[in-house]
Amino acid sequence: MSLPHKNEEYGTEVYWDKRYEQEAEDASFDWFKTYADVAHDIRKFIPSRDARILMLGCGNSKFSEDMWEDGYKNIVNVDYSPVVIEKMRNRHKDARPEMTWEVKDVRTLDGLDASSFDVAIDKGTMDAMMTSSTDVWDPPEQVIKDCTSEVSQVIRVLKRNGIFIYITFGQPHFRRRYLTGPHITRNTSLEIDQLGESFHYYMYTLRML
């Protein structure tokens, strides 16, 4: 795995294209938690295996693959790196044909219809956009714009009663601002669950009402 020289490179398409080009065809990497770590919570929040799910910034994570094996077949995986999307499409097209792989920027989600998904999942993608900031208390305007744009687009594509699941190490006083505020144009409810024992992760669940 090719690590960036500076953390802010995690937020650039150039870094990810180069990294995925250099990695083996069967390489995979999961940020924070694996599906097995949070499967109990996922099943609680997504009781229907027929739910249409949007995986935001999928990368080459095995999270979608493991969800598919657990019965969630209707998953649309998006990432802004055409390199990884092509690799993942080739990897899964025969074994898991129901899953689709599309090149899209989570900040715009161009081409996805409004109210077309039951669930959207972000596991570390929004965090990557925050790496350009060294001040978590006062992030730069671009970070705020990028993160709120993602959330606004997620709200646009979710159906009524749809949910946005965001998995991160970010504590509520740093992350809540992106999940509440004037960019939230629908009635929503926010639930925050703490994961882990020694080093805590968090699962934020924003439900459309």
Side-chain angles (χ1 to χ4, degrees), residues 102-143:
E102 302 181 22
V103 179
K104 293 191 186 298
D105 190 319
V106 299
R107 294 166 292 190
T108 58
L109 295 180
D110 290 337
L112 296 183
D113 292 336
S115 303
S116 58
F117 288 90
D118 300 293
V119 182
I121 299 176
D122 177 317
K123 188 168 70 74
T125 298
M126 195 186 307
D127 295 67
M129 294 192 293
M130 298 178 190
T131 55
S132 63
S133 174
T134 57
D135 185 354
V136 293
W137 292 103
D138 187 22
E141 284 300 315
Q142 189 60 52
V143 167

Side-chain angles (χ1 to χ4, degrees), residues 66-85:
D66 293 340
M67 284 191 72
W68 190 93
E69 296 293 344
D70 196 25
Y72 297 100
K73 308 295 186 183
N74 193 2
I75 304 176
V76 177
N77 300 274
V78 300
D79 199 288
Y80 68 2
S81 169
V83 177
V84 77
I85 287 297

